Amino acid sequence: MNRQRSLSLLAVLGLSATLTGAPDVVAEPTGDRAAQVRWGACPEGVEDLTAGPAQLDCATVPVPLNYREPEGTRIEIMISRLASRNPDKRRGVLLLNPGGPGGTGLDQPKFLAAHGLPAEVLDSYDLIGIDTRGVGHSAPVSCGFTDDQVYFGNIAPYAVNDAAVTERAVIAQGVAEQCAANDHDGRMSHVSTANMARDLDRIRAALGADKASFLGYSYGTALGAAYASMFPQQVDRVVLDSNIGDTHLDHEGMRLYGRGMEETFPDFAEWAAARHDTYGLGRTPEEVRRTYFTLAERLDAHPVDGMDGNLFRFGTFFTLYRPALYASAAESWRSLIDTGRPGPAGGRPPGTGAPSPNDNAWSVFLAVTCNDVEWPEDIGSYRRAVAEDRERHPLYGAAAANVMPCAYWKLGPSEPPVSIDSTAPGAVLIVQNQRDPVTPLRGGELLDAKFGQRSRLVTVDGSGHGVYVLGADPCATETVTDYLVDGTVPEHDTTCRTG
């Protein structure tokens, strides 16, 4: 379960470039500009050099910590570059974001190339990876999480009853206070989607590009939607893959995780039922679903080897990110049935009080999520939401609707969330699996509706989190590649059907 803890990140209104109420903040000027970055070697760990020579260059771009004080304190944003393989075909820069918020992006250009990013795209663009503000090598922030804290990841635990919500509220309040207490240099309150979008445009300008294209996954769709809305004249081609539905994640957006698991779990259940002779989880999808509830309730009452019902539910939720994970999950379920123990993966190990390896990522997730928009402060509203979603989405709704530290956040928001600009020029391509546990189809539909005629929605009759490169649908791959390379936009919203 260690691996699942570290992967809990995978979870998930702009009129111009000005801040609402702060007319002194303007967009970067357009027009020809010379590149202002100095490329050099990337920090240790960005690439695995044992696998071959370095392919990435890295550089830093200075940006204001506070865009209301553009001449004040500055921070450095680290970027990486996988240069176009064919300068004669190069058409510009493609800014990348892997999601999170909180995920490092410096290795993303090489990751996408290694996982099959089409050659035409590698020729057409310099791929630009980014550690967004607060992340990794870009003025990192920290709440000071340790590996023995009860706080668990960026999805609240499954609330088995009303009292569990109240108990969680105490922990959530403590985490919010802990984050504020650890914000010694005052950076955390400026970690937001709007400021990250402003940083993107500073990066564009520093690269000497009149316009920049963008490819973002999961939370990256919120950032890309904000960038396309705040800087419509500076964006070129925008692909938003696996969508949260807006420029920010709020409580209603988190609750979609429960819906996403309900829509995606049947794929795993059908797979497991077809392999009942191997795993013994049920001969029909309905029997597999009943096995899930039986195991979860047993672990609620009697945790074993560090695994409780919450960890079991989270592990299953994470399994649905990729069909390739189904077999390992089925093995763990079978071990629980046969031996009463979760198998080699185990549950949550004892803590040592050492800094958590997820501290930075979890801290950025909270900073962005809580700074972007006001969250309900009335704990009663969370109790009602949990009770409703426990019935409506019993697989995971009582986790997704549970109280977050955002209910007690004191560092933000400092401005309204970014509004989607549906009137600006430039097409936005929205790509979405029909069954996705963390960013369900509804998120893509919502974002497509908000962009109106400016966007096209490409849905895939597929399962899992991530479509372009991360999936294997040739129709979606061709559609996105044609758009990025040639600017070809589907005439209408379209559905790609696998098989």
Side-chain angles (χ1 to χ4, degrees):
M1 210 64 179
N2 265 343
R3 180 169 175 272
Q4 291 172 337
R5 290 179 64 205
S6 67
L7 288 169
S8 62
L9 306 168
L10 302 177
V12 324
L13 322 193
L15 309 169
S16 67
T18 61
L19 279 169
T20 302
D24 56 318
V25 181
V26 297
E28 285 285 347
T30 59
D32 293 333
R33 298 188 58 152
Q36 301 170 1
V37 300
R38 292 187 176 182
W39 297 107
C42 291
E44 183 178 356
V46 173
E47 294 188 75
D48 179 9
L49 299 183
T50 64
Q55 299 181 36
L56 300 176
D57 304 309
C58 283
T60 57
V61 176
V63 301
L65 172 64
N66 182 355
Y67 277 89
R68 286 195 175 94
E69 300 173 0
E71 303 305 320
T73 301
R74 301 176 84 75
I75 58 175
E76 300 284 334
I77 304 298
M78 182 165 285
I79 63 176
S80 65
R81 177 186 65 174
L82 183 64
S84 164
R85 304 185 313 178
N86 189 337
D88 291 337
K89 294 184 177 180
R90 180 187 180 278
R91 65 173 309 276
V93 297
L94 180 61
L95 308 180
L96 306 173
N97 187 273
T104 180
L106 294 181
D107 62 346
Q108 196 180 14
K110 187 174 179 180
F111 172 87
L112 291 176
H115 284 76
L117 188 68
E120 307 96 294
V121 178
L122 292 170
D123 288 344
S124 297
Y125 294 96
D126 291 344
L127 304 185
I128 306 299
I130 306 166
D131 270 3
T132 51
R133 64 168 55 207
V135 174
H137 297 280
S138 297
V141 298
S142 169
C143 289
F145 291 119
T146 60
D147 66 2
D148 60 350
Q149 282 193 263
V150 178
Y151 179 71
F152 179 82
N154 295 323
I155 304 175
Y158 189 94
V160 295
N161 53 36
D162 189 70
V165 181
T166 304
E167 293 169 4
R168 186 61 184 180
V170 175
I171 295 172
Q173 182 174 7
V175 167
E177 293 171 352
Q178 177 178 332
C179 291
N182 277 275
D183 186 28
H184 303 299
D185 47 20
R187 292 200 295 253
M188 195 170 290
S189 61
H190 300 289
V191 178
S192 68
T193 297
N195 280 338
M196 288 178 178
R198 297 179 179 108
D199 294 344
L200 290 183
D201 207 56
R202 293 283 177 134
I203 292 168
R204 171 203 60 79
L207 292 172
D210 289 342
K211 293 189 174 187
S213 295
F214 181 89
L215 168 61
Y217 296 86
S218 197
Y219 164 75
T221 65
L223 178 57
Y227 186 41
S229 296
M230 295 172 68
F231 297 90
Q233 302 301 325
Q234 284 78 50
V235 296
D236 188 8
R237 296 169 186 172
V238 177
V239 178
L240 308 179
D241 188 323
S242 306
N243 299 266
I244 69 172
D246 211 321
T247 62
H248 58 274
L249 182 63
D250 56 15
H251 187 225
E252 291 305 309
M254 284 291 297
R255 292 177 72 178
L256 284 177
Y257 290 15
R259 174 173 177 163
M261 186 164 179
E262 294 289 344
E263 292 175 348
T264 312
F265 184 83
D267 289 343
F268 169 74
E270 183 175 352
W271 180 94
R275 294 160 179 81
H276 176 75
D277 290 344
T278 300
Y279 300 110
L281 306 184
R283 296 187 181 279
T284 66
E286 293 75 18
E287 289 181 359
V288 174
R289 183 180 175 93
R290 286 196 293 271
T291 300
Y292 169 86
F293 289 116
T294 298
L295 291 173
E297 291 164 8
R298 180 195 302 171
L299 290 165
D300 285 336
H302 303 289
V304 291
D305 293 349
M307 179 178 281
D308 58 13
N310 175 60
L311 282 174
F312 173 76
R313 292 180 179 94
F314 168 74
T316 304
F317 175 76
F318 173 73
T319 292
L320 303 180
Y321 275 56
R322 298 278 184 277
L325 299 174
Y326 289 178
S328 61
E331 288 282 3
S332 180
W333 284 34
R334 185 177 69 173
S335 179
L336 283 166
I337 293 169
D338 291 346
T339 70
R341 299 185 179 282
R348 180 171 181 168
T352 65
S356 169
N358 298 319
D359 172 48
N360 177 234
W362 288 350
S363 301
V364 173
F365 180 94
L366 288 177
V368 174
T369 304
C370 304
N371 286 340
D372 275 357
V373 65
E374 293 280 2
W375 281 62
E377 298 180 5
D378 173 28
I379 299 306
S381 66
Y382 293 96
R383 287 198 293 264
R384 290 189 293 272
V386 165
E388 179 179 321
D389 286 2
R390 190 187 296 115
E391 295 297 321
R392 184 171 57 175
H393 301 137
L395 290 168
Y396 210 50
N402 204 353
V403 61
M404 296 276 290
C406 297
Y408 301 96
W409 200 253
K410 302 302 181 186
L411 299 173
S414 60
E415 61 179 299
V418 178
S419 294
I420 298 291
D421 187 345
S422 63
T423 63
V428 175
L429 195 63
I430 298 173
V431 188
Q432 184 71 51
N433 274 327
Q434 291 183 351
R435 298 174 301 283
D436 182 323
V438 64
T439 55
L441 176 60
R442 183 58 180 156
E445 293 172 339
L446 287 170
L447 198 59
D448 183 48
K450 289 167 185 173
F451 271 114
Q453 292 302 310
R454 191 180 174 191
S455 65
R456 293 291 183 270
L457 174 62
V458 178
T459 60
V460 177
D461 182 12
S463 187
H465 189 48
V467 176
Y468 189 56
V469 180
L470 303 179
D473 183 81
C475 162
T477 298
E478 181 179 357
T479 302
V480 176
T481 299
D482 286 350
Y483 170 64
L484 286 174
V485 175
D486 301 321
T488 304
V489 180
E491 187 174 347
H492 305 288
D493 292 349
T494 186
T495 297
C496 292
R497 302 195 182 279
T498 59

Short mmCIF file of all heavy atoms in Angstrom, two decimals, residues 248-292:
data_model
loop_
_atom_site.label_atom_id
_atom_site.label_comp_id
_atom_site.label_asym_id
_atom_site.label_seq_id
_atom_site.Cartn_x
_atom_site.Cartn_y
_atom_site.Cartn_z
N HIS A 248 -11.17 25.36 -11.44
CA HIS A 248 -10.85 25.12 -10.03
C HIS A 248 -11.55 23.85 -9.58
O HIS A 248 -12.52 23.40 -10.20
CB HIS A 248 -11.29 26.30 -9.16
CG HIS A 248 -12.76 26.59 -9.27
ND1 HIS A 248 -13.29 27.39 -10.25
CD2 HIS A 248 -13.82 26.14 -8.55
CE1 HIS A 248 -14.61 27.44 -10.13
NE2 HIS A 248 -14.95 26.69 -9.10
N LEU A 249 -11.06 23.30 -8.49
CA LEU A 249 -11.69 22.13 -7.87
C LEU A 249 -12.35 22.58 -6.58
O LEU A 249 -11.68 23.10 -5.68
CB LEU A 249 -10.63 21.06 -7.58
CG LEU A 249 -11.14 19.75 -6.96
CD1 LEU A 249 -12.08 19.03 -7.91
CD2 LEU A 249 -9.96 18.85 -6.59
N ASP A 250 -13.66 22.41 -6.48
CA ASP A 250 -14.37 22.78 -5.27
C ASP A 250 -15.02 21.53 -4.68
O ASP A 250 -14.77 20.41 -5.12
CB ASP A 250 -15.41 23.87 -5.55
CG ASP A 250 -16.41 23.48 -6.63
OD1 ASP A 250 -16.48 22.27 -6.98
OD2 ASP A 250 -17.12 24.36 -7.13
N HIS A 251 -15.85 21.72 -3.65
CA HIS A 251 -16.44 20.57 -2.98
C HIS A 251 -17.31 19.75 -3.92
O HIS A 251 -17.28 18.51 -3.90
CB HIS A 251 -17.26 21.03 -1.77
CG HIS A 251 -17.78 19.90 -0.93
ND1 HIS A 251 -19.08 19.86 -0.47
CD2 HIS A 251 -17.18 18.76 -0.49
CE1 HIS A 251 -19.25 18.74 0.24
NE2 HIS A 251 -18.12 18.06 0.24
N GLU A 252 -18.06 20.42 -4.78
CA GLU A 252 -18.89 19.69 -5.74
C GLU A 252 -18.02 18.93 -6.73
O GLU A 252 -18.38 17.83 -7.17
CB GLU A 252 -19.84 20.65 -6.46
CG GLU A 252 -20.93 21.21 -5.56
CD GLU A 252 -21.74 20.12 -4.86
OE1 GLU A 252 -22.22 19.20 -5.56
OE2 GLU A 252 -21.87 20.17 -3.62
N GLY A 253 -16.89 19.50 -7.10
CA GLY A 253 -15.97 18.80 -7.98
C GLY A 253 -15.38 17.57 -7.33
O GLY A 253 -15.24 16.51 -7.97
N MET A 254 -15.04 17.68 -6.05
CA MET A 254 -14.54 16.51 -5.33
C MET A 254 -15.60 15.42 -5.27
O MET A 254 -15.29 14.23 -5.39
CB MET A 254 -14.13 16.90 -3.90
CG MET A 254 -12.81 17.65 -3.79
SD MET A 254 -11.36 16.64 -4.15
CE MET A 254 -11.45 15.40 -2.87
N ARG A 255 -16.83 15.81 -5.09
CA ARG A 255 -17.91 14.82 -5.00
C ARG A 255 -18.07 14.02 -6.30
O ARG A 255 -18.58 12.89 -6.28
CB ARG A 255 -19.22 15.51 -4.63
CG ARG A 255 -19.24 16.07 -3.23
CD ARG A 255 -20.53 16.81 -2.92
NE ARG A 255 -21.68 15.90 -2.76
CZ ARG A 255 -22.90 16.31 -2.46
NH1 ARG A 255 -23.14 17.62 -2.29
NH2 ARG A 255 -23.88 15.44 -2.32
N LEU A 256 -17.60 14.55 -7.40
CA LEU A 256 -17.66 13.81 -8.67
C LEU A 256 -16.80 12.55 -8.63
O LEU A 256 -17.01 11.63 -9.42
CB LEU A 256 -17.21 14.70 -9.83
CG LEU A 256 -18.21 15.75 -10.32
CD1 LEU A 256 -17.60 16.58 -11.43
CD2 LEU A 256 -19.50 15.09 -10.81
N TYR A 257 -15.81 12.49 -7.70
CA TYR A 257 -15.00 11.27 -7.58
C TYR A 257 -15.91 10.08 -7.27
O TYR A 257 -15.68 8.97 -7.77
CB TYR A 257 -13.98 11.40 -6.46
CG TYR A 257 -12.83 12.36 -6.68
CD1 TYR A 257 -12.86 13.32 -7.69
CD2 TYR A 257 -11.71 12.32 -5.86
CE1 TYR A 257 -11.81 14.20 -7.86
CE2 TYR A 257 -10.65 13.20 -6.04
CZ TYR A 257 -10.71 14.14 -7.05
OH TYR A 257 -9.66 15.00 -7.22
N GLY A 258 -16.91 10.29 -6.42
CA GLY A 258 -17.84 9.21 -6.10
C GLY A 258 -18.60 8.75 -7.33
O GLY A 258 -18.77 7.54 -7.55
N ARG A 259 -19.03 9.69 -8.13
CA ARG A 259 -19.72 9.34 -9.38
C ARG A 259 -18.77 8.61 -10.33
O ARG A 259 -19.14 7.62 -10.97
CB ARG A 259 -20.25 10.61 -10.03
CG ARG A 259 -20.87 10.40 -11.41
CD ARG A 259 -21.51 11.68 -11.90
NE ARG A 259 -22.05 11.53 -13.24
CZ ARG A 259 -22.94 12.36 -13.79
NH1 ARG A 259 -23.39 13.39 -13.09
NH2 ARG A 259 -23.38 12.18 -15.02
N GLY A 260 -17.52 9.09 -10.40
CA GLY A 260 -16.56 8.48 -11.30
C GLY A 260 -16.28 7.03 -10.95
O GLY A 260 -16.16 6.18 -11.85
N MET A 261 -16.20 6.73 -9.66
CA MET A 261 -15.94 5.34 -9.29
C MET A 261 -17.13 4.46 -9.63
O MET A 261 -16.96 3.32 -10.09
CB MET A 261 -15.61 5.23 -7.81
CG MET A 261 -15.18 3.83 -7.39
SD MET A 261 -14.37 3.79 -5.79
CE MET A 261 -14.05 2.02 -5.63
N GLU A 262 -18.33 4.96 -9.42
CA GLU A 262 -19.52 4.17 -9.77
C GLU A 262 -19.55 3.86 -11.26
O GLU A 262 -19.94 2.77 -11.68
CB GLU A 262 -20.79 4.92 -9.36
CG GLU A 262 -20.98 5.09 -7.87
CD GLU A 262 -21.34 3.79 -7.15
OE1 GLU A 262 -21.73 2.82 -7.83
OE2 GLU A 262 -21.20 3.76 -5.91
N GLU A 263 -19.15 4.82 -12.09
CA GLU A 263 -19.21 4.63 -13.53
C GLU A 263 -18.09 3.73 -14.05
O GLU A 263 -18.24 3.08 -15.09
CB GLU A 263 -19.13 6.00 -14.23
CG GLU A 263 -20.36 6.86 -13.99
CD GLU A 263 -20.24 8.25 -14.58
OE1 GLU A 263 -19.12 8.64 -14.98
OE2 GLU A 263 -21.27 8.96 -14.63
N THR A 264 -16.96 3.69 -13.33
CA THR A 264 -15.78 2.96 -13.82
C THR A 264 -15.65 1.58 -13.21
O THR A 264 -15.12 0.66 -13.84
CB THR A 264 -14.51 3.79 -13.53
OG1 THR A 264 -14.70 5.14 -13.96
CG2 THR A 264 -13.31 3.22 -14.28
N PHE A 265 -16.13 1.39 -11.98
CA PHE A 265 -16.00 0.10 -11.30
C PHE A 265 -16.57 -1.06 -12.11
O PHE A 265 -16.00 -2.17 -12.08
CB PHE A 265 -16.66 0.17 -9.92
CG PHE A 265 -16.49 -1.09 -9.11
CD1 PHE A 265 -15.34 -1.32 -8.36
CD2 PHE A 265 -17.49 -2.06 -9.09
CE1 PHE A 265 -15.19 -2.48 -7.62
CE2 PHE A 265 -17.35 -3.22 -8.35
CZ PHE A 265 -16.19 -3.43 -7.61
N PRO A 266 -17.69 -0.90 -12.83
CA PRO A 266 -18.21 -2.04 -13.58
C PRO A 266 -17.21 -2.65 -14.57
O PRO A 266 -17.29 -3.84 -14.86
CB PRO A 266 -19.44 -1.45 -14.30
CG PRO A 266 -19.91 -0.38 -13.38
CD PRO A 266 -18.64 0.24 -12.85
N ASP A 267 -16.27 -1.84 -15.07
CA ASP A 267 -15.27 -2.40 -15.98
C ASP A 267 -14.38 -3.39 -15.25
O ASP A 267 -14.06 -4.47 -15.76
CB ASP A 267 -14.42 -1.28 -16.59
CG ASP A 267 -15.20 -0.44 -17.58
OD1 ASP A 267 -16.26 -0.89 -18.05
OD2 ASP A 267 -14.74 0.67 -17.90
N PHE A 268 -13.95 -3.01 -14.03
CA PHE A 268 -13.15 -3.94 -13.23
C PHE A 268 -13.99 -5.15 -12.83
O PHE A 268 -13.50 -6.30 -12.89
CB PHE A 268 -12.62 -3.25 -11.97
CG PHE A 268 -12.03 -4.20 -10.97
CD1 PHE A 268 -10.79 -4.78 -11.18
CD2 PHE A 268 -12.72 -4.53 -9.80
CE1 PHE A 268 -10.25 -5.67 -10.26
CE2 PHE A 268 -12.19 -5.41 -8.88
CZ PHE A 268 -10.95 -5.99 -9.10
N ALA A 269 -15.23 -4.93 -12.43
CA ALA A 269 -16.08 -6.03 -11.99
C ALA A 269 -16.31 -7.03 -13.12
O ALA A 269 -16.28 -8.25 -12.91
CB ALA A 269 -17.41 -5.50 -11.47
N GLU A 270 -16.51 -6.53 -14.32
CA GLU A 270 -16.70 -7.44 -15.47
C GLU A 270 -15.41 -8.22 -15.74
O GLU A 270 -15.45 -9.43 -16.02
CB GLU A 270 -17.11 -6.63 -16.70
CG GLU A 270 -17.41 -7.49 -17.91
CD GLU A 270 -17.92 -6.66 -19.08
OE1 GLU A 270 -18.19 -5.46 -18.90
OE2 GLU A 270 -18.07 -7.24 -20.19
N TRP A 271 -14.27 -7.53 -15.66
CA TRP A 271 -12.97 -8.19 -15.87
C TRP A 271 -12.76 -9.29 -14.83
O TRP A 271 -12.36 -10.41 -15.15
CB TRP A 271 -11.88 -7.14 -15.77
CG TRP A 271 -10.48 -7.64 -15.95
CD1 TRP A 271 -9.76 -7.68 -17.11
CD2 TRP A 271 -9.62 -8.17 -14.93
NE1 TRP A 271 -8.50 -8.20 -16.88
CE2 TRP A 271 -8.39 -8.51 -15.55
CE3 TRP A 271 -9.76 -8.37 -13.56
CZ2 TRP A 271 -7.31 -9.04 -14.84
CZ3 TRP A 271 -8.69 -8.92 -12.85
CH2 TRP A 271 -7.50 -9.25 -13.48
N ALA A 272 -13.03 -8.98 -13.56
CA ALA A 272 -12.82 -9.95 -12.49
C ALA A 272 -13.78 -11.13 -12.59
O ALA A 272 -13.40 -12.28 -12.35
CB ALA A 272 -12.95 -9.27 -11.13
N ALA A 273 -15.03 -10.84 -12.94
CA ALA A 273 -16.01 -11.93 -13.06
C ALA A 273 -15.61 -12.90 -14.16
O ALA A 273 -15.81 -14.12 -14.03
CB ALA A 273 -17.39 -11.34 -13.35
N ALA A 274 -15.03 -12.40 -15.24
CA ALA A 274 -14.58 -13.27 -16.32
C ALA A 274 -13.40 -14.14 -15.90
O ALA A 274 -13.08 -15.12 -16.59
CB ALA A 274 -14.20 -12.43 -17.53
N ARG A 275 -12.78 -13.80 -14.76
CA ARG A 275 -11.61 -14.53 -14.25
C ARG A 275 -11.89 -15.10 -12.86
O ARG A 275 -10.98 -15.22 -12.04
CB ARG A 275 -10.40 -13.61 -14.24
CG ARG A 275 -9.95 -13.19 -15.65
CD ARG A 275 -9.09 -11.94 -15.64
NE ARG A 275 -8.66 -11.58 -16.99
CZ ARG A 275 -9.41 -10.93 -17.87
NH1 ARG A 275 -10.66 -10.56 -17.54
NH2 ARG A 275 -8.95 -10.66 -19.07
N HIS A 276 -13.14 -15.45 -12.62
CA HIS A 276 -13.51 -15.97 -11.31
C HIS A 276 -12.72 -17.24 -10.97
O HIS A 276 -12.34 -17.45 -9.81
CB HIS A 276 -15.01 -16.27 -11.26
CG HIS A 276 -15.43 -16.91 -9.97
ND1 HIS A 276 -15.55 -16.21 -8.79
CD2 HIS A 276 -15.75 -18.21 -9.68
CE1 HIS A 276 -15.92 -17.03 -7.82
NE2 HIS A 276 -16.05 -18.27 -8.34
N ASP A 277 -12.45 -18.07 -11.94
CA ASP A 277 -11.72 -19.29 -11.67
C ASP A 277 -10.30 -19.00 -11.18
O ASP A 277 -9.71 -19.82 -10.46
CB ASP A 277 -11.66 -20.17 -12.92
CG ASP A 277 -13.02 -20.76 -13.28
OD1 ASP A 277 -13.92 -20.73 -12.41
OD2 ASP A 277 -13.18 -21.23 -14.42
N THR A 278 -9.77 -17.84 -11.53
CA THR A 278 -8.42 -17.47 -11.09
C THR A 278 -8.43 -16.76 -9.74
O THR A 278 -7.63 -17.06 -8.85
CB THR A 278 -7.76 -16.56 -12.14
OG1 THR A 278 -7.68 -17.25 -13.39
CG2 THR A 278 -6.35 -16.15 -11.70
N TYR A 279 -9.37 -15.81 -9.57
CA TYR A 279 -9.34 -14.94 -8.39
C TYR A 279 -10.44 -15.22 -7.39
O TYR A 279 -10.33 -14.83 -6.22
CB TYR A 279 -9.39 -13.47 -8.83
CG TYR A 279 -8.24 -13.07 -9.71
CD1 TYR A 279 -8.43 -12.80 -11.06
CD2 TYR A 279 -6.95 -12.97 -9.20
CE1 TYR A 279 -7.38 -12.44 -11.89
CE2 TYR A 279 -5.88 -12.59 -10.01
CZ TYR A 279 -6.10 -12.34 -11.35
OH TYR A 279 -5.05 -11.98 -12.15
N GLY A 280 -11.53 -15.80 -7.81
CA GLY A 280 -12.60 -16.13 -6.89
C GLY A 280 -13.31 -14.94 -6.28
O GLY A 280 -13.76 -14.99 -5.13
N LEU A 281 -13.48 -13.88 -7.07
CA LEU A 281 -14.10 -12.66 -6.54
C LEU A 281 -15.59 -12.57 -6.86
O LEU A 281 -16.27 -11.67 -6.39
CB LEU A 281 -13.39 -11.42 -7.10
CG LEU A 281 -11.88 -11.36 -6.90
CD1 LEU A 281 -11.34 -10.04 -7.41
CD2 LEU A 281 -11.51 -11.56 -5.44
N GLY A 282 -16.10 -13.49 -7.67
CA GLY A 282 -17.51 -13.48 -8.04
C GLY A 282 -17.66 -13.88 -9.48
O GLY A 282 -16.83 -13.52 -10.33
N ARG A 283 -18.72 -14.60 -9.78
CA ARG A 283 -18.95 -15.10 -11.14
C ARG A 283 -19.64 -14.07 -12.03
O ARG A 283 -19.67 -14.22 -13.25
CB ARG A 283 -19.76 -16.38 -11.10
CG ARG A 283 -19.04 -17.53 -10.39
CD ARG A 283 -19.80 -18.84 -10.50
NE ARG A 283 -19.10 -19.90 -9.80
CZ ARG A 283 -18.06 -20.57 -10.30
NH1 ARG A 283 -17.62 -20.29 -11.52
NH2 ARG A 283 -17.47 -21.53 -9.60
N THR A 284 -20.22 -13.07 -11.40
CA THR A 284 -20.88 -12.00 -12.16
C THR A 284 -20.39 -10.66 -11.63
O THR A 284 -19.88 -10.56 -10.51
CB THR A 284 -22.41 -12.07 -11.99
OG1 THR A 284 -22.74 -11.77 -10.61
CG2 THR A 284 -22.95 -13.45 -12.36
N PRO A 285 -20.53 -9.58 -12.42
CA PRO A 285 -20.14 -8.26 -11.92
C PRO A 285 -20.87 -7.90 -10.63
O PRO A 285 -20.28 -7.25 -9.75
CB PRO A 285 -20.53 -7.33 -13.07
CG PRO A 285 -20.41 -8.19 -14.30
CD PRO A 285 -20.89 -9.54 -13.86
N GLU A 286 -22.12 -8.32 -10.49
CA GLU A 286 -22.88 -8.03 -9.27
C GLU A 286 -22.25 -8.72 -8.06
O GLU A 286 -22.18 -8.15 -6.97
CB GLU A 286 -24.33 -8.46 -9.43
CG GLU A 286 -25.12 -7.66 -10.47
CD GLU A 286 -24.76 -8.04 -11.91
OE1 GLU A 286 -24.17 -9.13 -12.12
OE2 GLU A 286 -25.06 -7.22 -12.81
N GLU A 287 -21.78 -9.95 -8.25
CA GLU A 287 -21.12 -10.66 -7.15
C GLU A 287 -19.79 -10.01 -6.80
O GLU A 287 -19.42 -9.92 -5.62
CB GLU A 287 -20.91 -12.13 -7.54
CG GLU A 287 -22.19 -12.94 -7.58
CD GLU A 287 -21.93 -14.41 -7.94
OE1 GLU A 287 -20.74 -14.76 -8.17
OE2 GLU A 287 -22.90 -15.18 -7.99
N VAL A 288 -19.06 -9.52 -7.78
CA VAL A 288 -17.80 -8.82 -7.50
C VAL A 288 -18.07 -7.55 -6.70
O VAL A 288 -17.34 -7.22 -5.75
CB VAL A 288 -17.06 -8.49 -8.81
CG1 VAL A 288 -15.82 -7.64 -8.53
CG2 VAL A 288 -16.67 -9.77 -9.54
N ARG A 289 -19.11 -6.85 -7.04
CA ARG A 289 -19.47 -5.64 -6.30
C ARG A 289 -19.80 -5.99 -4.85
O ARG A 289 -19.37 -5.29 -3.92
CB ARG A 289 -20.66 -4.95 -6.98
CG ARG A 289 -21.08 -3.62 -6.35
CD ARG A 289 -22.26 -3.02 -7.11
NE ARG A 289 -22.77 -1.81 -6.47
CZ ARG A 289 -22.37 -0.58 -6.76
NH1 ARG A 289 -21.45 -0.38 -7.69
NH2 ARG A 289 -22.90 0.46 -6.15
N ARG A 290 -20.54 -7.07 -4.64
CA ARG A 290 -20.86 -7.48 -3.27
C ARG A 290 -19.59 -7.86 -2.51
O ARG A 290 -19.47 -7.58 -1.31
CB ARG A 290 -21.86 -8.63 -3.29
CG ARG A 290 -23.27 -8.22 -3.65
CD ARG A 290 -24.30 -9.29 -3.27
NE ARG A 290 -24.15 -10.49 -4.07
CZ ARG A 290 -24.77 -10.69 -5.23
NH1 ARG A 290 -25.55 -9.75 -5.74
NH2 ARG A 290 -24.60 -11.83 -5.89
N THR A 291 -18.64 -8.47 -3.19
CA THR A 291 -17.37 -8.81 -2.54
C THR A 291 -16.65 -7.56 -2.08
O THR A 291 -16.06 -7.54 -0.98
CB THR A 291 -16.48 -9.61 -3.52
OG1 THR A 291 -17.14 -10.82 -3.89
CG2 THR A 291 -15.14 -9.96 -2.89
N TYR A 292 -16.68 -6.52 -2.87
CA TYR A 292 -16.07 -5.24 -2.49
C TYR A 292 -16.65 -4.74 -1.17
O TYR A 292 -15.91 -4.39 -0.23
CB TYR A 292 -16.29 -4.20 -3.60
CG TYR A 292 -15.94 -2.78 -3.22
CD1 TYR A 292 -14.64 -2.31 -3.34
CD2 TYR A 292 -16.92 -1.89 -2.74
CE1 TYR A 292 -14.31 -1.00 -3.00
CE2 TYR A 292 -16.60 -0.59 -2.41
CZ TYR A 292 -15.29 -0.15 -2.55
OH TYR A 292 -14.98 1.14 -2.19
#
